[in-house]
Amino acid sequence: MAWSADQYLKFAAPRLQPALDLLARVPDALQPSRVVDLGCGTGSATQRIAARWPRADVTGVDDSADMLAREAPAGSRVRWQRADMADATAWAPAGGLDLIYSNAALHWLPDHAALFPALLQRLRPGGVLAVQMPRNFGAPSHQLIHATALDGPWRDRLLPLVMPPPVAEPRWYVEHLSPQVAALDVWETEYQQILTGPDPVKEYTKGTWLMRFLQALPPDEAAAFEADYAARVRTAYPPLADGRTLFPFRRLFIVAVR
């Protein structure tokens, strides 16, 4: 999947807020020397991690060249690395990590029953795994992507992309992670995002989940699919009286201490 940083950053502020909320819940007692921001995207959260722990060795890891091209501002001490998030041997240094921070990234990786224990094993004792993942897959914004995929002439090509939600219920993570960690904090927040511009919900999802479907089609069909979805989601999220659009978005947070 080819990421577009321009599309993603159209809604930079609402995308950044959960990252800041996750960072704020990392325990103050942690004084890390080695930190990885896994799936760092355009690096806005990574820079804040580096600012919070100025003595830490901070690495931002992402597999998108377009996202990484927006990073590394002049004077940044963060190290940026293009690597496969699923291959911990490519980004986890020898000797273990003190903090693995991952904002809106791990839902792209399968088999969380194996993934999360593997990430915990990359931590030193007392190290922290801090994760935020979207859990909005049951909302109209995401369900209508699937409905559009199943209703059109592109059904056969898009059917493999119509899958169950990639993020489980909070209880699942509590049950699976509790026996493996010294402390665990799991919570959800539904952000009441107020968006502006034409078809803002469509434009928002086009930066992430919708992108997979559009890129699976030739340009003419992708344009027809996007128009069909836009009409459906426009009805599902009517504008407020002032013309802006309210887009509730649920996110799951996990802070685990090994």
Side-chain angles (χ1 to χ4, degrees), residues 231-251:
R232 296 171 188 247
V233 82
R234 198 179 302 130
T235 300
Y237 297 92
L240 301 168
D242 62 6
R244 298 181 298 169
T245 299
L246 180 64
F247 181 28
F249 202 105
R250 181 179 298 179
R251 296 182 181 272

Side-chain angles (χ1 to χ4, degrees), residues 40-64:
C40 62
T42 57
S44 54
T46 325
Q47 297 289 358
R48 288 161 172 83
I49 292 170
R52 177 170 172 181
W53 294 291
R55 296 182 179 180
D57 176 5
V58 179
T59 301
V61 176
D62 206 277
D63 57 11
S64 167

